[in-house]
Amino acid sequence: MTRSDDELTELAKSLGDRADLDPTDWSAFRRQSHAILDDMIDYIETIRGRPVWTKTPDDIRAGFNNATLPVHANDLSAVHAEFMTTILPYTIGNTHPRFMGWVHGGGNAVGMIGEMVAAAINANLGGRDHAPIEVEQQVVRWFAEAFGLPATTTGLLLTGSSIANFIAVHIARVASIGPDLRRKGISGHPLVGYAATTAHSCVPKAFDMAGMGSESLRLIPVNAAGRMDVGALARAIDHDLHTGHRPFLVVASAGTVDCGAIDDLPSIARLCREKDLWFHVDGAFGALGMLSPTLRPLLAGLERADSVAFDFHKWGQIPYDAGCILVRDGDAHKRAFATEAAYLRREERGLAGGALWPCDLGPDLSRGFRALKVWYTLKVLGTERLAAAIERTCDLARYLAKRVDLAPELERMTPTSLNIVCFRYRFSADIDHQNAELAADIQESGVAVVSTSKIGGQMVLRCAIVNHRSRVEDMDDVVDIALTLGRRREALSS
Ligand SMILES: *Cc1c(COP(=O)(O)O)cnc(C)c1O
């Protein structure tokens, strides 16, 4: 043996056997993991019998705040036991059939499995030649088709519609100014965009994050049905054109968070075509109504969008997070994000090949396999069942609206066009404050979760029926608890 062979042997010996992070006892790991999976299936199966929300107790909160970074190994079962007692009972509650706060999806058991499987293969969907990219592109293609968008459409799965709307703003401004914008920035370009006053708060925030300032988003008034006033939109565009601004984008809503209103998409599409503006639709929850034959007509015009932002994690019942951006002109999409960094130069063959690299379509390089939980859910449940669940939430909202209308103490505050019902208790004094307190009373009761919103400056209780598990009895329960706690609050204050 030469001297260097000896050295090599010594070095190998000193490196030891293993330092990997895999279980040392696979059969023990398997047993423990199966028990954890059973716990989570039990949890979903029995969700209806639990309180919707329980405030995190002070001692549990303190436990999180005081714990230090774990340095030494712990047993998986022990850590899971801690999860079961300190985390599981204190979640938001959106898996529960009487959760109607904000616009939250209920998730689904098949999606949970998809999430687990995705974690096992730990794919990175920034690019390269592997099947997971094909799965994501298949999901994108399925929904482009479902929305009536052409074959040129590209898209990406994202965290949610907030980032999807932001990405759309960037694509639209690069399309308007040209790729120079990416090198030279926006100064000297007085870009302005338009959305209704009822647009989601992430839309002005997108303008803010894009460096244009939220005031460069003009907020257009809505009519009595909560839809953008298209005449006012046309006047605003003309005014900006005459005063040296550069209109580039209209963001229409397909399902507003306050009352589920869908803007007049065909008229806005026509106006955008006429004025050469990018037509973006924020369809965060509403766009998936396209899966339902009864709701599809309400969304007419969506197929004319230049881009659509929507979420699988709301009406689509996919576990968080799963949003999506679709862009009609795939080249415009790439022009806004593709870079030619040398270390990523695409190869003709081998793993570094691949036709489409999702990192060319958005800000992320490393990207998880969100598409897999969508794919499992769609293939196992089918869009028919999903669409039926979506339609059911609208039917339940109509029932809830009727129950509200029949209760003399309650007053309905919006028309109910999709799945959202806003109402308030007719307190004899201090009505805004008392309704806000009533929402908290209901949340703290554990019976239901409703949220609040301001409609025409007035505080309302908002019930968004998004969860596929909700039933008629849950609508009755939410009205009953609002009446019981409302009467109690009224009696105490008078
Ligand atoms: C939820 C929602 C958003 C924001 O989407 P996230 O997925 O929460 O980021 C934007 N617009 C509308 C209409 C929404 O309902």
Side-chain angles (χ1 to χ4, degrees):
M1 283 234 278
T2 65
R3 199 179 135 70
S4 65
D5 281 346
D6 286 347
E7 272 173 17
L8 197 62
T9 310
E10 270 314 295
L11 182 58
K13 212 186 296 165
S14 74
L15 281 172
D17 230 12
R18 53 183 294 190
D20 65 78
L21 303 175
D22 282 331
T24 45
D25 179 349
W26 280 102
S27 56
F29 179 78
R30 190 179 298 270
R31 254 191 332 274
Q32 291 173 327
S33 301
H34 286 180
I36 292 172
L37 183 59
D38 278 339
D39 278 347
M40 300 330 293
I41 293 172
D42 286 347
Y43 173 73
I44 298 178
E45 189 184 2
T46 60
I47 187 74
R48 174 171 285 279
R50 298 161 188 270
V52 184
W53 177 70
T54 307
K55 185 174 156 53
T56 310
D58 289 342
D59 58 326
I60 298 232
R61 200 182 298 272
F64 285 113
N65 291 338
N66 298 333
T68 54
L69 180 68
V71 175
H72 303 296
N74 286 289
D75 187 61
L76 173 60
S77 293
V79 173
H80 176 63
E82 187 183 338
F83 165 82
M84 292 297 284
T85 52
T86 65
I87 300 175
L88 189 62
Y90 311 114
T91 57
I92 284 190
N94 51 308
T95 48
H96 196 289
R98 285 190 302 281
F99 183 96
M100 302 172 202
W102 304 277
V103 178
H104 278 36
N108 80 91
V110 173
M112 170 183 79
I113 298 298
E115 184 86 311
M116 184 188 75
V117 174
I121 65 170
N122 192 30
N124 181 343
L125 275 78
R128 304 187 176 82
D129 192 353
H130 51 131
I133 303 249
E134 304 303 324
V135 173
E136 180 171 14
Q137 288 308 306
Q138 181 178 64
V139 168
V140 162
R141 201 162 50 244
W142 281 342
F143 284 85
E145 281 168 14
F147 294 177
L149 294 167
T152 53
T153 302
T154 49
L156 269 189
L157 267 64
L158 298 160
T159 48
S161 287
S162 300
I163 201 74
N165 284 323
F166 173 62
I167 283 175
V169 167
H170 180 62
I171 298 169
R173 65 183 181 166
V174 174
S176 172
I177 302 295
D180 253 14
L181 179 97
R182 294 181 60 193
R183 279 188 302 277
K184 301 192 189 314
I186 52 162
S187 66
H189 299 294
L191 292 166
V192 287
Y194 308 84
T197 50
T198 48
H200 191 273
S201 58
C202 71
V203 180
K205 190 169 167 184
F207 274 68
D208 155 17
M209 291 192 297
M212 298 185 290
S214 55
E215 285 175 9
S216 61
L217 178 72
R218 315 295 202 210
L219 294 180
I220 308 300
V222 295
N223 62 24
R227 307 172 86 198
M228 192 193 298
D229 178 342
V230 183
L233 170 64
R235 288 190 294 280
I237 294 170
D238 286 340
H239 179 77
D240 280 325
L241 283 170
H242 286 130
T243 52
H245 296 282
R246 182 172 181 138
F248 78 110
L249 165 72
V250 179
V251 179
S253 296
T256 59
V257 282
D258 280 340
C259 66
I262 299 168
D263 285 332
D264 179 352
L265 306 180
S267 299
I268 297 172
R270 207 172 309 123
L271 190 61
C272 285
R273 172 71 58 86
E274 200 181 295
K275 308 275 181 189
D276 196 23
L277 305 191
W278 188 276
F279 173 39
H280 174 70
V281 177
D282 175 10
F285 79 86
L288 285 183
M290 288 298 277
L291 296 178
S292 147
T294 56
L295 296 176
R296 199 176 299 140
L298 301 174
L299 292 156
L302 185 68
E303 75 287 351
R304 295 170 68 178
D306 289 309
S307 52
V308 181
F310 70 102
D311 284 325
F312 291 109
H313 56 218
K314 291 175 176 170
W315 253 357
Q317 314 295 341
I318 305 295
Y320 285 91
D321 47 28
C324 188
I325 180 77
L326 296 177
V327 183
R328 175 183 217 91
D329 176 354
D331 290 332
H333 192 176
K334 283 191 203 97
R335 274 197 297 277
F337 285 104
T339 52
E340 287 170 45
Y343 72 102
L344 288 177
R345 193 159 295 134
R346 319 293 189 247
E347 304 295 343
E348 290 296 316
R349 52 185 286 269
L351 180 55
L356 184 127
W357 284 48
C359 65
D360 290 339
L361 301 176
D364 298 309
L365 177 57
S366 294
R367 308 176 59 249
F369 197 1
R370 283 190 190 95
L372 194 61
K373 59 193 171 188
V374 180
W375 189 84
Y376 264 86
T377 302
L378 289 169
K379 287 179 85 82
V380 173
L381 300 181
T383 58
E384 250 172 30
R385 266 184 86 182
L386 272 179
I390 288 172
E391 285 167 16
R392 177 109 180 127
T393 62
C394 297
D395 296 342
L396 289 172
R398 269 195 295 281
Y399 177 86
L400 175 60
K402 186 129 251 159
R403 278 243 24 209
V404 167
D405 292 346
L406 289 172
E409 292 108 314
L410 304 179
E411 177 183 14
R412 193 144 62 88
M413 301 298 284
T414 51
T416 297
S417 55
L418 290 176
N419 59 333
I420 297 177
V421 182
C422 294
F423 65 94
R424 62 179 180 172
Y425 193 95
R426 298 178 201 263
F427 290 107
S428 49
D430 211 4
I431 188 160
D432 281 346
H433 171 73
Q434 291 284 39
N435 273 288
E437 291 293 311
L438 177 56
D441 292 346
I442 294 171
Q443 292 161 7
E444 286 171 1
S445 76
V447 172
V449 165
V450 306
S451 51
T452 59
S453 187
K454 284 239 165 151
I455 303 281
Q458 295 177 305
M459 183 67 71
V460 303
L461 307 182
R462 181 180 56 176
C463 296
I465 326 295
V466 186
N467 193 311
H468 58 100
R469 302 184 177 101
S470 301
R471 301 177 187 159
V472 170
E473 68 205 66
D474 300 312
M475 304 303 115
D476 288 331
D477 286 349
V478 76
V479 172
D480 292 345
I481 192 75
L483 286 171
T484 304
L485 298 179
R487 283 173 193 142
R488 182 180 304 165
R489 179 160 285 283
E490 175 73 3
L492 283 173
S493 63
S494 56

